[in-house]
Amino acid sequence: GGRRSGYITIGYRGSYTIGREAQADAKFRRVARITVCGKTALAKEVFGETLNESRDHDRPPERYTARYYLKFNFLAQAFERLSEAGFRMAACSSTGTCAFAPEQGGPADDKIWTSYTEYVFCRD
């Protein structure tokens, strides 16, 4: 078809607390914001009115931006929209860091971790 090929990267930051009983005690917080990186025209095609362009509202259609985010915070919804538009996941990456440890004055057994995850989608 006449659809443009390209890449869209979805990213989000998360945090979770792990207590002494790691498997039973992990407490995850909801995703606060899903960021979108890619060509403006592709992002608008896939996400339409759910794309928040307030941070880069005058970006030309064929230019890349990493300043958009979605008005919803459900990863599955983002993945479904990408799949329906003919995108497939090409790569993903995640990092995690201990942000707060007991020796820094936190709860005796808890550690708060932060993570950043990116999913790269492509359409040929």
Side-chain angles (χ1 to χ4, degrees), residues 3 8 42 45-48 50 72 75-89 121-123:
R3 298 192 299 187
I8 292 179
L42 285 176
E45 174 194 332
V46 173
F47 297 109
T50 64
F72 57 84
L75 284 173
Q77 188 176 353
F79 291 178
E80 286 171 6
R81 286 179 175 252
L82 285 157
S83 177
E84 289 168 1
F87 284 81
R88 62 179 173 78
M89 188 181 301
F121 289 83
C122 69
R123 182 170 71 187

Side-chain angles (χ1 to χ4, degrees), residues 15-16 96-101 104 111-114:
S15 64
Y16 49 96
T97 320
C98 185
F100 191 75
Q104 296 171 327
K111 289 186 178 182
I112 298 173
W113 292 81
T114 59

Side-chain angles (χ1 to χ4, degrees), residues 8-41:
I8 292 179
T9 301
I10 300 296
Y12 73 93
R13 295 191 188 286
S15 64
Y16 49 96
T17 304
I18 298 180
R20 186 179 298 187
E21 303 294 326
Q23 289 82 9
D25 275 359
K27 295 179 183 78
F28 292 87
R29 295 186 182 157
R30 69 179 180 86
V31 173
R33 178 177 285 179
I34 299 172
T35 59
V36 177
C37 175
K39 283 189 177 179
T40 297

